[in-house]
Amino acid sequence: MDIGELEKLDNYRWRIPKSGAMLVDGVIYASQKLIGKIIEEKAVEQVKNVACLPGIVKSSMAMPDAHWGYGFCIGGVAGMDVEEGVVSPGGVGYDINCGVRLLGTSLDKSDVAGQVPKLAAHLFNAVPAGIGSHGTLKLSYSNLKKVLLGGSEWAVREGFGWKEDLVHTEEGGKLPASDTAILSERALERGKGQVGTLGSGNHFLEVQWVERVFDEKTAGVFGLREGQIVIMLHSGSRGFGYQVCDDFLKVMARSVVKNKIFLPDRQLACSPVKSEEGQRYLEAMNQAANYAWANRQVMAHVTREVFSDFFGESPENLRMNLIYDVCHNIAKFETHNVEGKKRKLLVHRKGATRAFGPGAPGLPDIYNKTGQPVLIPGDMGRASWVLAGTKEAMDETFGSSCHGAGRALSRSAAKKLKSGAEVSRELHERGIEVFSTEMGTLAEEMSEAYKDVDDVVEAVCGAKIGRKVARLRPLAVVKG
């Protein structure tokens, strides 16, 4: 597609007019600087394909970090009518409920001066990372099923966290689920040993510091201040979630034939929301989401323990409160205003973060006036951001924003640029300590492999679907 085929609505919005089998328009949120890369990576074609799905409401959307993904582009958002619409695993992703959580501390950057390498080594030793990594938590099938039904509630009940953590987690860290019998033996087997593990690829645990606050009042509500040490954690549902997605893609492929659904791309395999297949997938997806929340909850608990041992203070004295936990690979039932009327929708966010604005239902009381914290991780070497959700996001994007910087290079292309050892050395020279189980992962995840997160955030805030609160910089990175 050529840029001339897009209609520029303003400096941060591009419309793809409805054509062919499209049921609604496509809308891409991007600056002039970002739109070329989004076109080059064929995300526009995927936005058009999603616009063909039955029951899609309003428009098929892409956030400023959009790039090619399985079925939906990464950064894709679509709201489906619950009566006539469909649910598509490609609109959720293989890593169901991959997400980000941010812990505060009472520490300043000066408190960790000279100690970052040692602190990072302790974190690397305590939090299992890498492909197929297993944790110290060995679950029986019986206890695994409690995780799948209980999510973060299970973790807190077992001593891995504080009750307040649940309030500061999207959906309280638990989606409705009741039937583990629908899961494959393979999914259960993959899930038994990975609760409390980071995984590989773009997942990370970072010690960061708050470089700049843009909105002191909102930052104060979130518990952020300049110079403060914070911890950002990015992980998902590991092999369990991957297997759930893989299992149900086969189910959905059969459902497409059975229900005579036209698809421009078979990776959009789907089923009517109300069908037996759709309901079974949503049940399994909810269990994978609960697994991911429990996973991040356990790792946050281990991180608190490491900090407590290292600094000789309790996590409570170190004020290691959970600021927020948001997911960015999920489909959830939500009610939104569409053309002046409230409608219940199944909102798919694939590589997109919920960004509910002030007064939106489901937010903890403390964030009711500010909008929710929107956590935007960057790459290992530059910055991450904390934004606040906005009314405009509620009006335009079903309360959604970007989920990160978005890849600019494929993993294979990144590896051709430089080695993992070079990446590690360069980051060290810039004052960032990196620990990883695989040097190849470091090469794949180098800063140059991603768009500049500052450009992405400028587009988000230019479109007013997010509001700047604070910019964070990495000091130490633990990778798989």
Side-chain angles (χ1 to χ4, degrees), residues 219-283:
V221 172
F222 289 180
L224 296 170
R225 56 183 166 74
E226 288 187 0
Q228 179 187 14
I229 295 294
V230 296
I231 302 113
M232 183 173 279
L233 176 58
H234 177 214
S235 188
S237 49
R238 306 286 284 111
F240 176 77
Y242 185 99
Q243 193 62 45
V244 166
C245 181
D246 199 51
D247 291 342
F248 275 89
L249 282 171
K250 300 178 183 70
V251 174
M252 294 298 179
R254 294 192 292 272
S255 183
V256 166
V257 176
K258 173 183 165 185
N259 291 288
K260 299 179 181 176
I261 299 172
F262 165 76
L263 293 180
D265 177 357
R266 66 180 182 177
Q267 290 186 356
L268 292 173
C270 58
S271 190
V273 173
K274 289 206 159 185
S275 67
E276 179 192 349
E277 296 91 339
Q279 291 295 304
R280 286 173 59 212
Y281 170 70
L282 287 167
E283 168 75 29

Side-chain angles (χ1 to χ4, degrees), residues 128-278:
I131 297 172
S133 58
H134 283 64
T136 55
L137 200 59
K138 306 298 181 188
L139 297 175
S140 64
Y141 278 121
S142 174
N143 282 329
L144 172 61
K145 291 174 181 177
K146 291 178 182 175
V147 172
L148 303 179
L149 303 183
S152 289
E153 276 186 12
W154 168 85
V156 170
R157 191 165 59 241
E158 294 296 316
F160 301 109
W162 306 339
K163 286 184 179 178
E164 295 79 9
D165 296 342
L166 304 180
V167 178
H168 287 203
T169 302
E170 185 172 336
E171 302 293 344
K174 175 184 172 184
L175 286 175
S178 60
D179 183 11
T180 58
I182 64 170
L183 301 168
S184 69
E185 285 298 316
R186 176 67 176 147
L188 292 171
E189 184 60 33
R190 294 185 73 175
K192 280 173 64 180
Q194 293 191 323
V195 173
T197 65
L198 192 61
S200 60
N202 61 349
H203 297 154
F204 65 79
L205 172 64
E206 286 189 4
V207 179
Q208 304 173 340
W209 65 285
V210 181
E211 179 194 49
R212 184 178 172 189
V213 165
F214 290 80
D215 177 343
E216 285 198 12
K217 187 174 180 181
T218 302
V221 172
F222 289 180
L224 296 170
R225 56 183 166 74
E226 288 187 0
Q228 179 187 14
I229 295 294
V230 296
I231 302 113
M232 183 173 279
L233 176 58
H234 177 214
S235 188
S237 49
R238 306 286 284 111
F240 176 77
Y242 185 99
Q243 193 62 45
V244 166
C245 181
D246 199 51
D247 291 342
F248 275 89
L249 282 171
K250 300 178 183 70
V251 174
M252 294 298 179
R254 294 192 292 272
S255 183
V256 166
V257 176
K258 173 183 165 185
N259 291 288
K260 299 179 181 176
I261 299 172
F262 165 76
L263 293 180
D265 177 357
R266 66 180 182 177
Q267 290 186 356
L268 292 173
C270 58
S271 190
V273 173
K274 289 206 159 185
S275 67
E276 179 192 349
E277 296 91 339

Side-chain angles (χ1 to χ4, degrees), residues 400-416:
S400 307
S401 187
C402 73
H403 87 309
R407 290 198 76 89
L409 295 176
S410 68
R411 288 180 167 82
S412 57
K415 280 183 170 179
K416 291 176 183 175

Side-chain angles (χ1 to χ4, degrees), residues 23 53-57 79-87 259 261 271-276 278-279 282 332-335 342-348:
L23 301 173
L53 290 177
I56 188 168
V57 171
M80 304 296 181
D81 183 89
V82 296
E83 299 293 331
E84 301 175 356
V86 295
V87 57
N259 291 288
I261 299 172
S271 190
V273 173
K274 289 206 159 185
S275 67
E276 179 192 349
Q279 291 295 304
L282 287 167
K332 292 194 303 182
F333 292 105
E334 297 172 356
T335 299
K342 287 189 175 180
R343 290 180 65 173
K344 185 178 179 182
L345 306 173
L346 181 64
V347 179
H348 293 63

Side-chain angles (χ1 to χ4, degrees), residues 65 67-69 74-75 92-101 128-132 197-206 208 232-238 242 295-296 299 326-329 350-353 375-381 383-384 402-411 414-415 434-447 449-451 474 476-480:
D65 55 339
H67 59 96
W68 189 92
I74 309 296
V92 172
Y94 274 92
D95 192 359
I96 297 167
N97 191 5
C98 186
V100 185
R101 67 171 44 195
I131 297 172
T197 65
L198 192 61
S200 60
N202 61 349
H203 297 154
F204 65 79
L205 172 64
E206 286 189 4
Q208 304 173 340
M232 183 173 279
L233 176 58
H234 177 214
S235 188
S237 49
R238 306 286 284 111
Y242 185 99
N295 186 35
R296 291 197 289 274
M299 283 189 282
V326 291
C327 46
H328 52 230
N329 278 5
K350 162 80 170 290
T353 299
L375 309 177
I376 312 295
D379 54 68
M380 295 182 291
S384 295
C402 73
H403 87 309
R407 290 198 76 89
L409 295 176
S410 68
R411 288 180 167 82
K415 280 183 170 179
V434 179
F435 285 76
S436 176
T437 57
E438 296 286 341
M439 280 293 128
T441 301
L442 286 186
E444 293 173 354
E445 295 298 308
M446 68 176 76
S447 293
Y450 286 87
K451 301 179 182 76
V477 183
V478 173
K479 298 285 287 185

Side-chain angles (χ1 to χ4, degrees), residues 96-126:
I96 297 167
N97 191 5
C98 186
V100 185
R101 67 171 44 195
L102 186 67
L103 293 169
T105 76
S106 61
L107 299 167
D108 288 330
K109 189 182 178 189
S110 58
D111 293 324
V112 301
Q115 301 186 81
V116 172
K118 192 175 177 183
L119 175 61
H122 281 267
L123 289 168
F124 183 67
N125 290 330

